[in-house]
Amino acid sequence: GAVVSQHPSWVICKSGTSVKIECRSLDFQATTMFWYRQFPKQSLMLMATSNEGSKATYEQGVEKDKFLINHASLTLSTLTVTSAHPEDSSFYICSASDRWGKTDTQYFGPGTRLTVL
Amino acid sequence: AQKVTQAQTEISVVEKEDVTLDCVYETRDTTYYLFWYKQPPSGELVFLIRRNSFDEQNEISGRYSWNFQKSTSSFNFTITASQVVDSAVYFCALRGIIQGAQKLVFGQGTRLTINP
């Protein structure tokens, strides 16, 4: 149980284009999903917390107009990197906790490696 | 503020050796949760354990064991008889109940290499 998927697993795009990453909880309902960014050999940096049906809460320093997050259902959240630039290249990871966070555990997706040329 | 410190950036041991990964945390919350995650080269974070702040019992799961000591704010992780498949980056994380709600605060990670 507690499986989280991400799609795509990797993406290469040209500078200026937008990229959408999907995060799905496959066998549980996720009221809360989280988006992280990880640079090589570094820890995870929380970008935003997304609650189903409401606006995402962004961490300080994260541009909300650049990283659009939508959590339209209890099993799906999307992260759209708008007008991507090479500095946006990174490993993006989502996680999900179950309805009302009862498990108090975040389960992570496999990550999406974004390369912007 | 909440903080997790994993002082060991990299550890390298020979297979079958025991290895302990250290984790020290700071929080003002009286109730909190501690976690360990494993990140193999594939990149996916694998949940290993969750420990509540009011439960100081040590836990053993196969070759893995965890030592939670509230008095020293530490939650150390030991792998006994290490294997090459244990090679990964291991993250310790903290989640407070009041401060930061559901946010996980991660340590910097310890890269563990098990050599054959």
Side-chain angles (χ1 to χ4, degrees), chain A:
Chain A
V3 178
V4 178
S5 70
Q6 266 183 257
H7 178 79
S9 55
W10 60 270
V11 57
I12 301 173
C13 68
K14 292 183 179 179
S15 186
T17 60
S18 294
V19 175
K20 180 185 280 188
I21 302 170
E22 290 187 351
C23 176
R24 293 181 185 273
S25 57
L26 298 186
D27 54 359
F28 66 101
Q29 293 184 322
T31 49
T32 306
M33 287 183 168
F34 305 83
W35 287 96
Y36 294 85
R37 186 173 180 177
Q38 185 180 33
F39 291 106
K41 296 193 175 184
Q42 292 190 24
S43 188
L44 283 75
M45 182 193 80
L46 179 65
M47 299 174 66
T49 301
S50 162
N51 290 301
E52 184 260 339
S54 61
K55 289 183 179 180
T57 302
Y58 290 82
E59 294 300 297
Q60 194 171 9
V62 177
E63 300 175 59
K64 52 185 72 174
D65 293 332
K66 175 121 184 112
F67 299 100
L68 301 178
I69 292 172
N70 183 279
H71 190 165
S73 76
L74 284 171
T75 59
L76 174 64
S77 177
T78 60
L79 167 68
T80 301
V81 183
T82 61
S83 186
H85 291 285
E87 58 265 29
D88 298 324
S89 297
S90 189
F91 191 53
Y92 292 88
I93 310 174
C94 74
S95 71
S97 61
D98 79 336
R99 199 174 184 88
W100 300 303
K102 286 185 178 178
T103 66
D104 299 310
T105 297
Q106 289 182 30
Y107 295 94
F108 286 80
T112 297
R113 193 163 302 281
L114 170 63
T115 302
V116 184
L117 302 176

Side-chain angles (χ1 to χ4, degrees), chain B residues 6-43:
Chain B
Q6 294 179 255
Q8 304 148 308
T9 306
E10 296 188 27
I11 298 176
S12 181
V13 300
V14 177
E15 200 172 18
K16 297 183 183 176
E17 285 186 20
D18 298 346
V19 58
T20 295
L21 282 60
D22 298 333
C23 173
V24 175
Y25 62 91
E26 296 175 30
T27 181
R28 292 180 184 172
D29 286 344
T30 53
T31 302
Y32 49 89
Y33 297 91
L34 295 163
F35 302 81
W36 276 96
Y37 287 91
K38 173 183 180 180
Q39 187 177 39
S42 62

Side-chain angles (χ1 to χ4, degrees), chain B residues 4-13 17-24 35-39 48 63-68 73-80 82 86-92 108-114:
Chain B
V4 176
T5 302
Q6 294 179 255
Q8 304 148 308
T9 306
E10 296 188 27
I11 298 176
S12 181
V13 300
E17 285 186 20
D18 298 346
V19 58
T20 295
L21 282 60
D22 298 333
C23 173
V24 175
F35 302 81
W36 276 96
Y37 287 91
K38 173 183 180 180
Q39 187 177 39
L48 296 179
R63 297 184 296 107
Y64 295 172
S65 63
W66 291 269
N67 184 319
F68 175 32
S73 298
S74 65
F75 186 42
N76 297 337
F77 172 32
T78 297
I79 301 175
T80 304
S82 61
D86 295 326
S87 297
V89 179
Y90 290 86
F91 290 98
C92 179
Q108 286 304 304
T110 297
R111 182 175 300 275
L112 177 63
T113 302
I114 310 297

